[in-house]
Amino acid sequence: MHITHSTLSRGGSSGQHPHTATHQTHQAAAMESPKDKHRSKAIEINVPPDVIAGNGSSPDAPADFETAIAATGYGRFNYLLLLVAMPCCMTTVFETTTMSYVLPSAECDLNLTLADKGMLNAITYTGMITSAFLWGFLSDTYGRKRLLVVGFLLDSTFNVLCALSQNMVAIMVFKFMGGFVICGPFAVLMAYLSEFHSLQHRSRVMIVLGVFYSAANMLLPALAWLIIPQPWNLIIGDGVLEIHSWQIFLAVSCLPGVLSGISVMFLPESPKFLMSKGQNERALAIFRRLYAINTRDRQEFPIRVLVDELSPVSGPIVPASGKPTTHPSPAAVAAAAPSGLGEGFRQLGIMFRKPHLPNACLVYGIQFGILLGLNTFRLWVPQLFTIIEEFEHEQHLLPDGLASQATLCEMLAYKVNKTEQLQQQWLERDVSRALHGPDPVAMEPLDDVLMCTPTTEGRVYLYSLIIGCVGIGAYAVTTVMINSIGNRNILTYGLLLAGSCGTALYWARSSLVTLILSSCYITICSIASTALVGAVVAMFPTSMRTMVVSLTMMFGRTGSIIGNVVFPYLMALGCLPPFVMIGAIVIGKVMKHG
């Protein structure tokens, strides 16, 4: 008996339901019980009436990916997979955020200007943009597991080299390479996890990942609070290497990446990827293994045959014995499985035509503005709180409480002036040493007021920890109320409120007010960015969603780069420009969206 099946869509890997069956399946469903009829609607296989594919009535019937992964159940393997995902999420967060906690302490050791700090914050995103398309191609060609292992271990290697670096140029090179490498695991992790969960549990996995990312944003300042304030200073090799506490923090932050790479080695390859490559025998073996782990059942896995995704429309069935009934021609296989590059250009062509082009440009513009404000301010928050602590510490002897009456703008102006004077002082010292030797007698001692003293107050990291806690609470509330509020309302009113908070920082006069406004701005912008990605799912067809989401993130990272590079120059121009940038850019996107 020859059984035919329809071409499978690739919606399974993106978390979307398959299309309903075609006309022949509906005719067959007319003679089935209501229960069987309901099941047949979720299967994309055209079979005769006496065989219902994937519902367990015939173990020799071909099953698609969604049917097979649902049959494995939900149990111990899924819990183990989520446990492994925890350090993976930490690695991606640590890679983009560690420098923001290092810069206040490394300022004196590396003689950093405010512009240098902006470049160090932005360089990781530059690496991520550079490799975005490369990793997508490698993932579809060589598999999810291999990319995750190589990516996490390489990222850890570059982080160790970054920790050993003795100047800003070396740190920028290794942070760029870290961003170049981590872009792959960052993008593939969600796809890899979703391909081990059925449709019933897939949305729950995304929520758990969101919790993991929020927890990582809380763990990082706690780790920095534990390590950076310590007076550690190691001299290695007669002064060749000088290791400070902030470099030890960078080295410790690579541990989640090492743990992730080693852990993923013991996990199986994605069965969805194997089926897309025609390796149904390996995919079926993985399904059997998952079934045995999850159910602890000695019975045989109920599915023995998987559909061949490489066949054009009615290709061969690959049974468990590995002997296909027919052999598709190479031309048919090539027609059914276009190259990733060709498919990417085809999707780009569709996107640049109506009716998708206006919506795509709107989404890209909004995400660019949101992440320009969010990631700029988020990565500068530790520096801003350090400036406040430094100002209050150095000005506490002023009469009449002038320090307590100073606004955030006056504190920033003080920091900008002090940094410029320090840079001039360092330049004069270097010139004098070049002309008169390492210890010139003619060089005047540094003024005590202008001595570069890094601020490592614990309150700086406590403030970041509080912002992370606020984010988790807000995400929990939003998850419950998202259906009643709606993505559009979150984008419109949330960004309006966030922009107001960002602009209001101009008048902040204390650490507490700055903390409240910062928490509101960062949390709301983060939720709005997530809501925007959710809106993309509803605005574009399944075949375009992956491309649109990838380009959306690319535009967002471009905004992050521009914001972090421009922010210190705006600080040098005056206090109002940087806060107008982070506030007005978000409010402007509300007006454009409305």
Side-chain angles (χ1 to χ4, degrees), residues 91-126:
T91 305
T92 57
V93 171
F94 285 14
E95 178 60 46
T96 58
T97 315
T98 48
M99 289 308 300
S100 64
Y101 296 101
V102 162
L103 295 178
S105 300
E107 175 182 7
C108 298
D109 297 323
L110 301 177
N111 297 345
L112 297 177
T113 65
L114 292 175
D116 294 335
K117 295 177 182 179
M119 291 293 294
L120 287 170
N121 274 334
I123 194 66
T124 301
Y125 291 101
T126 306

PDB file of all heavy atoms in Angstrom, residues 91-126:
ATOM      1  N   THR A  91      25.136  33.081  30.444  1.00  0.00           N
ATOM      2  CA  THR A  91      26.272  33.390  29.575  1.00  0.00           C
ATOM      3  C   THR A  91      25.943  34.516  28.615  1.00  0.00           C
ATOM      4  O   THR A  91      26.743  35.447  28.418  1.00  0.00           O
ATOM      5  CB  THR A  91      26.690  32.145  28.786  1.00  0.00           C
ATOM      6  OG1 THR A  91      26.963  31.076  29.698  1.00  0.00           O
ATOM      7  CG2 THR A  91      27.925  32.416  27.953  1.00  0.00           C
ATOM      8  N   THR A  92      24.766  34.465  28.002  1.00  0.00           N
ATOM      9  CA  THR A  92      24.390  35.507  27.043  1.00  0.00           C
ATOM     10  C   THR A  92      24.206  36.855  27.724  1.00  0.00           C
ATOM     11  O   THR A  92      24.567  37.901  27.171  1.00  0.00           O
ATOM     12  CB  THR A  92      23.101  35.107  26.313  1.00  0.00           C
ATOM     13  OG1 THR A  92      22.057  34.872  27.277  1.00  0.00           O
ATOM     14  CG2 THR A  92      23.313  33.836  25.505  1.00  0.00           C
ATOM     15  N   VAL A  93      23.653  36.861  28.945  1.00  0.00           N
ATOM     16  CA  VAL A  93      23.480  38.120  29.678  1.00  0.00           C
ATOM     17  C   VAL A  93      24.830  38.661  30.141  1.00  0.00           C
ATOM     18  O   VAL A  93      25.116  39.859  30.019  1.00  0.00           O
ATOM     19  CB  VAL A  93      22.540  37.913  30.886  1.00  0.00           C
ATOM     20  CG1 VAL A  93      22.520  39.151  31.782  1.00  0.00           C
ATOM     21  CG2 VAL A  93      21.130  37.596  30.412  1.00  0.00           C
ATOM     22  N   PHE A  94      25.682  37.784  30.654  1.00  0.00           N
ATOM     23  CA  PHE A  94      26.989  38.219  31.149  1.00  0.00           C
ATOM     24  C   PHE A  94      27.825  38.840  30.041  1.00  0.00           C
ATOM     25  O   PHE A  94      28.544  39.821  30.266  1.00  0.00           O
ATOM     26  CB  PHE A  94      27.741  37.035  31.769  1.00  0.00           C
ATOM     27  CG  PHE A  94      27.228  36.635  33.131  1.00  0.00           C
ATOM     28  CD1 PHE A  94      26.015  37.095  33.612  1.00  0.00           C
ATOM     29  CD2 PHE A  94      27.962  35.783  33.934  1.00  0.00           C
ATOM     30  CE1 PHE A  94      25.536  36.722  34.857  1.00  0.00           C
ATOM     31  CE2 PHE A  94      27.503  35.401  35.193  1.00  0.00           C
ATOM     32  CZ  PHE A  94      26.287  35.878  35.645  1.00  0.00           C
ATOM     33  N   GLU A  95      27.757  38.276  28.847  1.00  0.00           N
ATOM     34  CA  GLU A  95      28.588  38.757  27.748  1.00  0.00           C
ATOM     35  C   GLU A  95      28.293  40.216  27.412  1.00  0.00           C
ATOM     36  O   GLU A  95      29.192  40.998  27.117  1.00  0.00           O
ATOM     37  CB  GLU A  95      28.377  37.883  26.511  1.00  0.00           C
ATOM     38  CG  GLU A  95      29.164  38.315  25.291  1.00  0.00           C
ATOM     39  CD  GLU A  95      30.666  38.292  25.534  1.00  0.00           C
ATOM     40  OE1 GLU A  95      31.162  37.299  26.102  1.00  0.00           O
ATOM     41  OE2 GLU A  95      31.343  39.272  25.165  1.00  0.00           O
ATOM     42  N   THR A  96      27.025  40.601  27.433  1.00  0.00           N
ATOM     43  CA  THR A  96      26.659  41.960  27.028  1.00  0.00           C
ATOM     44  C   THR A  96      26.685  42.959  28.171  1.00  0.00           C
ATOM     45  O   THR A  96      26.630  44.171  27.929  1.00  0.00           O
ATOM     46  CB  THR A  96      25.243  41.965  26.416  1.00  0.00           C
ATOM     47  OG1 THR A  96      24.302  41.448  27.378  1.00  0.00           O
ATOM     48  CG2 THR A  96      25.196  41.121  25.158  1.00  0.00           C
ATOM     49  N   THR A  97      26.774  42.498  29.424  1.00  0.00           N
ATOM     50  CA  THR A  97      26.549  43.402  30.555  1.00  0.00           C
ATOM     51  C   THR A  97      27.754  43.553  31.484  1.00  0.00           C
ATOM     52  O   THR A  97      27.826  44.530  32.235  1.00  0.00           O
ATOM     53  CB  THR A  97      25.332  42.920  31.380  1.00  0.00           C
ATOM     54  OG1 THR A  97      24.263  42.579  30.493  1.00  0.00           O
ATOM     55  CG2 THR A  97      24.838  43.997  32.321  1.00  0.00           C
ATOM     56  N   THR A  98      28.698  42.617  31.481  1.00  0.00           N
ATOM     57  CA  THR A  98      29.784  42.661  32.469  1.00  0.00           C
ATOM     58  C   THR A  98      30.583  43.953  32.414  1.00  0.00           C
ATOM     59  O   THR A  98      30.977  44.492  33.449  1.00  0.00           O
ATOM     60  CB  THR A  98      30.748  41.477  32.265  1.00  0.00           C
ATOM     61  OG1 THR A  98      31.092  41.389  30.873  1.00  0.00           O
ATOM     62  CG2 THR A  98      30.139  40.174  32.721  1.00  0.00           C
ATOM     63  N   MET A  99      30.824  44.488  31.221  1.00  0.00           N
ATOM     64  CA  MET A  99      31.662  45.685  31.122  1.00  0.00           C
ATOM     65  C   MET A  99      31.055  46.878  31.847  1.00  0.00           C
ATOM     66  O   MET A  99      31.784  47.739  32.344  1.00  0.00           O
ATOM     67  CB  MET A  99      31.908  46.045  29.654  1.00  0.00           C
ATOM     68  CG  MET A  99      32.829  45.102  28.901  1.00  0.00           C
ATOM     69  SD  MET A  99      34.419  44.809  29.725  1.00  0.00           S
ATOM     70  CE  MET A  99      35.095  46.456  29.788  1.00  0.00           C
ATOM     71  N   SER A 100      29.725  46.950  31.930  1.00  0.00           N
ATOM     72  CA  SER A 100      29.109  48.096  32.590  1.00  0.00           C
ATOM     73  C   SER A 100      29.445  48.132  34.074  1.00  0.00           C
ATOM     74  O   SER A 100      29.498  49.215  34.678  1.00  0.00           O
ATOM     75  CB  SER A 100      27.593  48.065  32.392  1.00  0.00           C
ATOM     76  OG  SER A 100      27.022  46.940  33.021  1.00  0.00           O
ATOM     77  N   TYR A 101      29.699  46.964  34.688  1.00  0.00           N
ATOM     78  CA  TYR A 101      30.088  46.919  36.100  1.00  0.00           C
ATOM     79  C   TYR A 101      31.607  47.053  36.281  1.00  0.00           C
ATOM     80  O   TYR A 101      32.067  47.421  37.356  1.00  0.00           O
ATOM     81  CB  TYR A 101      29.605  45.607  36.731  1.00  0.00           C
ATOM     82  CG  TYR A 101      28.110  45.490  36.765  1.00  0.00           C
ATOM     83  CD1 TYR A 101      27.435  44.714  35.829  1.00  0.00           C
ATOM     84  CD2 TYR A 101      27.355  46.160  37.716  1.00  0.00           C
ATOM     85  CE1 TYR A 101      26.055  44.617  35.846  1.00  0.00           C
ATOM     86  CE2 TYR A 101      25.976  46.068  37.737  1.00  0.00           C
ATOM     87  CZ  TYR A 101      25.332  45.299  36.793  1.00  0.00           C
ATOM     88  OH  TYR A 101      23.956  45.210  36.804  1.00  0.00           O
ATOM     89  N   VAL A 102      32.344  46.766  35.250  1.00  0.00           N
ATOM     90  CA  VAL A 102      33.807  46.825  35.324  1.00  0.00           C
ATOM     91  C   VAL A 102      34.321  48.253  35.152  1.00  0.00           C
ATOM     92  O   VAL A 102      35.290  48.663  35.797  1.00  0.00           O
ATOM     93  CB  VAL A 102      34.417  45.897  34.253  1.00  0.00           C
ATOM     94  CG1 VAL A 102      35.870  46.232  33.999  1.00  0.00           C
ATOM     95  CG2 VAL A 102      34.274  44.445  34.673  1.00  0.00           C
ATOM     96  N   LEU A 103      33.666  49.034  34.295  1.00  0.00           N
ATOM     97  CA  LEU A 103      34.199  50.337  33.893  1.00  0.00           C
ATOM     98  C   LEU A 103      34.466  51.296  35.050  1.00  0.00           C
ATOM     99  O   LEU A 103      35.512  51.964  35.068  1.00  0.00           O
ATOM    100  CB  LEU A 103      33.261  50.980  32.866  1.00  0.00           C
ATOM    101  CG  LEU A 103      33.158  50.236  31.533  1.00  0.00           C
ATOM    102  CD1 LEU A 103      32.178  50.932  30.608  1.00  0.00           C
ATOM    103  CD2 LEU A 103      34.516  50.125  30.867  1.00  0.00           C
ATOM    104  N   PRO A 104      33.559  51.435  36.039  1.00  0.00           N
ATOM    105  CA  PRO A 104      33.878  52.361  37.134  1.00  0.00           C
ATOM    106  C   PRO A 104      35.144  51.999  37.889  1.00  0.00           C
ATOM    107  O   PRO A 104      35.869  52.889  38.360  1.00  0.00           O
ATOM    108  CB  PRO A 104      32.644  52.257  38.051  1.00  0.00           C
ATOM    109  CG  PRO A 104      31.537  51.826  37.156  1.00  0.00           C
ATOM    110  CD  PRO A 104      32.179  50.905  36.166  1.00  0.00           C
ATOM    111  N   SER A 105      35.447  50.692  38.005  1.00  0.00           N
ATOM    112  CA  SER A 105      36.648  50.263  38.723  1.00  0.00           C
ATOM    113  C   SER A 105      37.884  50.284  37.837  1.00  0.00           C
ATOM    114  O   SER A 105      38.994  50.531  38.320  1.00  0.00           O
ATOM    115  CB  SER A 105      36.446  48.848  39.274  1.00  0.00           C
ATOM    116  OG  SER A 105      35.352  48.806  40.162  1.00  0.00           O
ATOM    117  N   ALA A 106      37.704  50.012  36.549  1.00  0.00           N
ATOM    118  CA  ALA A 106      38.848  49.961  35.636  1.00  0.00           C
ATOM    119  C   ALA A 106      39.245  51.339  35.121  1.00  0.00           C
ATOM    120  O   ALA A 106      40.250  51.462  34.410  1.00  0.00           O
ATOM    121  CB  ALA A 106      38.518  49.043  34.452  1.00  0.00           C
ATOM    122  N   GLU A 107      38.482  52.351  35.468  1.00  0.00           N
ATOM    123  CA  GLU A 107      38.729  53.696  34.949  1.00  0.00           C
ATOM    124  C   GLU A 107      40.153  54.159  35.204  1.00  0.00           C
ATOM    125  O   GLU A 107      40.826  54.686  34.305  1.00  0.00           O
ATOM    126  CB  GLU A 107      37.730  54.671  35.591  1.00  0.00           C
ATOM    127  CG  GLU A 107      37.962  56.119  35.227  1.00  0.00           C
ATOM    128  CD  GLU A 107      36.979  57.042  35.926  1.00  0.00           C
ATOM    129  OE1 GLU A 107      36.213  56.561  36.787  1.00  0.00           O
ATOM    130  OE2 GLU A 107      36.989  58.249  35.626  1.00  0.00           O
ATOM    131  N   CYS A 108      40.632  53.949  36.423  1.00  0.00           N
ATOM    132  CA  CYS A 108      41.975  54.435  36.779  1.00  0.00           C
ATOM    133  C   CYS A 108      43.073  53.541  36.208  1.00  0.00           C
ATOM    134  O   CYS A 108      44.115  54.019  35.763  1.00  0.00           O
ATOM    135  CB  CYS A 108      42.109  54.518  38.296  1.00  0.00           C
ATOM    136  SG  CYS A 108      40.936  55.681  39.042  1.00  0.00           S
ATOM    137  N   ASP A 109      42.838  52.221  36.210  1.00  0.00           N
ATOM    138  CA  ASP A 109      43.855  51.286  35.725  1.00  0.00           C
ATOM    139  C   ASP A 109      44.092  51.430  34.229  1.00  0.00           C
ATOM    140  O   ASP A 109      45.212  51.217  33.744  1.00  0.00           O
ATOM    141  CB  ASP A 109      43.438  49.847  36.042  1.00  0.00           C
ATOM    142  CG  ASP A 109      43.335  49.600  37.540  1.00  0.00           C
ATOM    143  OD1 ASP A 109      44.161  50.155  38.285  1.00  0.00           O
ATOM    144  OD2 ASP A 109      42.427  48.859  37.959  1.00  0.00           O
ATOM    145  N   LEU A 110      43.034  51.769  33.476  1.00  0.00           N
ATOM    146  CA  LEU A 110      43.138  51.858  32.017  1.00  0.00           C
ATOM    147  C   LEU A 110      43.125  53.298  31.515  1.00  0.00           C
ATOM    148  O   LEU A 110      43.185  53.512  30.294  1.00  0.00           O
ATOM    149  CB  LEU A 110      41.984  51.086  31.365  1.00  0.00           C
ATOM    150  CG  LEU A 110      41.884  49.597  31.704  1.00  0.00           C
ATOM    151  CD1 LEU A 110      40.653  48.985  31.057  1.00  0.00           C
ATOM    152  CD2 LEU A 110      43.138  48.847  31.254  1.00  0.00           C
ATOM    153  N   ASN A 111      43.055  54.278  32.439  1.00  0.00           N
ATOM    154  CA  ASN A 111      43.004  55.698  32.053  1.00  0.00           C
ATOM    155  C   ASN A 111      41.874  55.962  31.055  1.00  0.00           C
ATOM    156  O   ASN A 111      42.081  56.514  29.967  1.00  0.00           O
ATOM    157  CB  ASN A 111      44.340  56.162  31.459  1.00  0.00           C
ATOM    158  CG  ASN A 111      45.476  56.083  32.452  1.00  0.00           C
ATOM    159  OD1 ASN A 111      45.245  55.947  33.655  1.00  0.00           O
ATOM    160  ND2 ASN A 111      46.709  56.161  31.970  1.00  0.00           N
ATOM    161  N   LEU A 112      40.663  55.586  31.421  1.00  0.00           N
ATOM    162  CA  LEU A 112      39.526  55.642  30.510  1.00  0.00           C
ATOM    163  C   LEU A 112      38.857  57.007  30.544  1.00  0.00           C
ATOM    164  O   LEU A 112      38.641  57.584  31.605  1.00  0.00           O
ATOM    165  CB  LEU A 112      38.495  54.572  30.881  1.00  0.00           C
ATOM    166  CG  LEU A 112      38.939  53.114  30.786  1.00  0.00           C
ATOM    167  CD1 LEU A 112      37.818  52.191  31.258  1.00  0.00           C
ATOM    168  CD2 LEU A 112      39.358  52.760  29.365  1.00  0.00           C
ATOM    169  N   THR A 113      38.504  57.495  29.363  1.00  0.00           N
ATOM    170  CA  THR A 113      37.638  58.662  29.254  1.00  0.00           C
ATOM    171  C   THR A 113      36.189  58.182  29.184  1.00  0.00           C
ATOM    172  O   THR A 113      35.916  56.977  29.044  1.00  0.00           O
ATOM    173  CB  THR A 113      37.965  59.475  27.996  1.00  0.00           C
ATOM    174  OG1 THR A 113      37.669  58.674  26.841  1.00  0.00           O
ATOM    175  CG2 THR A 113      39.436  59.865  27.971  1.00  0.00           C
ATOM    176  N   LEU A 114      35.249  59.108  29.247  1.00  0.00           N
ATOM    177  CA  LEU A 114      33.844  58.731  29.115  1.00  0.00           C
ATOM    178  C   LEU A 114      33.569  58.154  27.732  1.00  0.00           C
ATOM    179  O   LEU A 114      32.767  57.224  27.581  1.00  0.00           O
ATOM    180  CB  LEU A 114      32.954  59.954  29.374  1.00  0.00           C
ATOM    181  CG  LEU A 114      32.944  60.479  30.816  1.00  0.00           C
ATOM    182  CD1 LEU A 114      32.127  61.761  30.908  1.00  0.00           C
ATOM    183  CD2 LEU A 114      32.393  59.432  31.770  1.00  0.00           C
ATOM    184  N   ALA A 115      34.236  58.688  26.702  1.00  0.00           N
ATOM    185  CA  ALA A 115      34.062  58.148  25.350  1.00  0.00           C
ATOM    186  C   ALA A 115      34.592  56.721  25.266  1.00  0.00           C
ATOM    187  O   ALA A 115      33.998  55.864  24.588  1.00  0.00           O
ATOM    188  CB  ALA A 115      34.767  59.040  24.334  1.00  0.00           C
ATOM    189  N   ASP A 116      35.704  56.440  25.929  1.00  0.00           N
ATOM    190  CA  ASP A 116      36.233  55.074  25.959  1.00  0.00           C
ATOM    191  C   ASP A 116      35.226  54.108  26.587  1.00  0.00           C
ATOM    192  O   ASP A 116      35.046  52.979  26.113  1.00  0.00           O
ATOM    193  CB  ASP A 116      37.541  55.024  26.750  1.00  0.00           C
ATOM    194  CG  ASP A 116      38.659  55.805  26.070  1.00  0.00           C
ATOM    195  OD1 ASP A 116      38.592  55.973  24.838  1.00  0.00           O
ATOM    196  OD2 ASP A 116      39.585  56.251  26.775  1.00  0.00           O
ATOM    197  N   LYS A 117      34.570  54.545  27.640  1.00  0.00           N
ATOM    198  CA  LYS A 117      33.583  53.697  28.302  1.00  0.00           C
ATOM    199  C   LYS A 117      32.407  53.406  27.378  1.00  0.00           C
ATOM    200  O   LYS A 117      31.877  52.288  27.360  1.00  0.00           O
ATOM    201  CB  LYS A 117      33.099  54.365  29.590  1.00  0.00           C
ATOM    202  CG  LYS A 117      34.183  54.520  30.645  1.00  0.00           C
ATOM    203  CD  LYS A 117      33.671  55.257  31.866  1.00  0.00           C
ATOM    204  CE  LYS A 117      34.779  55.449  32.900  1.00  0.00           C
ATOM    205  NZ  LYS A 117      34.315  56.187  34.092  1.00  0.00           N
ATOM    206  N   GLY A 118      31.985  54.417  26.609  1.00  0.00           N
ATOM    207  CA  GLY A 118      30.911  54.186  25.649  1.00  0.00           C
ATOM    208  C   GLY A 118      31.300  53.166  24.596  1.00  0.00           C
ATOM    209  O   GLY A 118      30.498  52.294  24.226  1.00  0.00           O
ATOM    210  N   MET A 119      32.534  53.246  24.115  1.00  0.00           N
ATOM    211  CA  MET A 119      33.012  52.284  23.114  1.00  0.00           C
ATOM    212  C   MET A 119      33.062  50.869  23.692  1.00  0.00           C
ATOM    213  O   MET A 119      32.681  49.899  23.028  1.00  0.00           O
ATOM    214  CB  MET A 119      34.398  52.698  22.630  1.00  0.00           C
ATOM    215  CG  MET A 119      34.416  53.972  21.808  1.00  0.00           C
ATOM    216  SD  MET A 119      33.571  53.790  20.220  1.00  0.00           S
ATOM    217  CE  MET A 119      34.660  52.603  19.414  1.00  0.00           C
ATOM    218  N   LEU A 120      33.519  50.735  24.919  1.00  0.00           N
ATOM    219  CA  LEU A 120      33.604  49.403  25.538  1.00  0.00           C
ATOM    220  C   LEU A 120      32.217  48.814  25.775  1.00  0.00           C
ATOM    221  O   LEU A 120      32.029  47.597  25.691  1.00  0.00           O
ATOM    222  CB  LEU A 120      34.380  49.492  26.848  1.00  0.00           C
ATOM    223  CG  LEU A 120      35.893  49.696  26.708  1.00  0.00           C
ATOM    224  CD1 LEU A 120      36.527  50.008  28.054  1.00  0.00           C
ATOM    225  CD2 LEU A 120      36.547  48.459  26.095  1.00  0.00           C
ATOM    226  N   ASN A 121      31.240  49.655  26.069  1.00  0.00           N
ATOM    227  CA  ASN A 121      29.871  49.159  26.223  1.00  0.00           C
ATOM    228  C   ASN A 121      29.279  48.710  24.892  1.00  0.00           C
ATOM    229  O   ASN A 121      28.480  47.768  24.841  1.00  0.00           O
ATOM    230  CB  ASN A 121      28.973  50.243  26.831  1.00  0.00           C
ATOM    231  CG  ASN A 121      29.006  50.255  28.347  1.00  0.00           C
ATOM    232  OD1 ASN A 121      29.274  49.227  28.979  1.00  0.00           O
ATOM    233  ND2 ASN A 121      28.740  51.402  28.933  1.00  0.00           N
ATOM    234  N   ALA A 122      29.646  49.390  23.821  1.00  0.00           N
ATOM    235  CA  ALA A 122      29.025  49.134  22.522  1.00  0.00           C
ATOM    236  C   ALA A 122      29.715  48.043  21.721  1.00  0.00           C
ATOM    237  O   ALA A 122      29.110  47.470  20.811  1.00  0.00           O
ATOM    238  CB  ALA A 122      29.015  50.426  21.696  1.00  0.00           C
ATOM    239  N   ILE A 123      30.958  47.715  22.040  1.00  0.00           N
ATOM    240  CA  ILE A 123      31.742  46.851  21.158  1.00  0.00           C
ATOM    241  C   ILE A 123      31.175  45.441  21.066  1.00  0.00           C
ATOM    242  O   ILE A 123      31.254  44.793  20.012  1.00  0.00           O
ATOM    243  CB  ILE A 123      33.223  46.817  21.635  1.00  0.00           C
ATOM    244  CG1 ILE A 123      34.120  46.213  20.560  1.00  0.00           C
ATOM    245  CG2 ILE A 123      33.357  46.069  22.948  1.00  0.00           C
ATOM    246  CD1 ILE A 123      34.217  47.049  19.306  1.00  0.00           C
ATOM    247  N   THR A 124      30.561  44.941  22.151  1.00  0.00           N
ATOM    248  CA  THR A 124      29.981  43.598  22.108  1.00  0.00           C
ATOM    249  C   THR A 124      28.839  43.533  21.107  1.00  0.00           C
ATOM    250  O   THR A 124      28.722  42.567  20.338  1.00  0.00           O
ATOM    251  CB  THR A 124      29.478  43.184  23.502  1.00  0.00           C
ATOM    252  OG1 THR A 124      30.567  43.212  24.419  1.00  0.00           O
ATOM    253  CG2 THR A 124      28.899  41.786  23.467  1.00  0.00           C
ATOM    254  N   TYR A 125      27.987  44.554  21.086  1.00  0.00           N
ATOM    255  CA  TYR A 125      26.876  44.584  20.129  1.00  0.00           C
ATOM    256  C   TYR A 125      27.377  44.690  18.702  1.00  0.00           C
ATOM    257  O   TYR A 125      26.751  44.166  17.773  1.00  0.00           O
ATOM    258  CB  TYR A 125      25.938  45.742  20.449  1.00  0.00           C
ATOM    259  CG  TYR A 125      25.157  45.557  21.734  1.00  0.00           C
ATOM    260  CD1 TYR A 125      25.526  46.197  22.907  1.00  0.00           C
ATOM    261  CD2 TYR A 125      24.050  44.713  21.774  1.00  0.00           C
ATOM    262  CE1 TYR A 125      24.823  46.021  24.081  1.00  0.00           C
ATOM    263  CE2 TYR A 125      23.342  44.529  22.949  1.00  0.00           C
ATOM    264  CZ  TYR A 125      23.729  45.186  24.100  1.00  0.00           C
ATOM    265  OH  TYR A 125      23.030  44.998  25.267  1.00  0.00           O
ATOM    266  N   THR A 126      28.506  45.359  18.512  1.00  0.00           N
ATOM    267  CA  THR A 126      29.089  45.428  17.174  1.00  0.00           C
ATOM    268  C   THR A 126      29.467  44.037  16.680  1.00  0.00           C
ATOM    269  O   THR A 126      29.199  43.681  15.521  1.00  0.00           O
ATOM    270  CB  THR A 126      30.341  46.333  17.193  1.00  0.00           C
ATOM    271  OG1 THR A 126      30.003  47.602  17.748  1.00  0.00           O
ATOM    272  CG2 THR A 126      30.887  46.527  15.791  1.00  0.00           C
TER     273      THR A 126
END
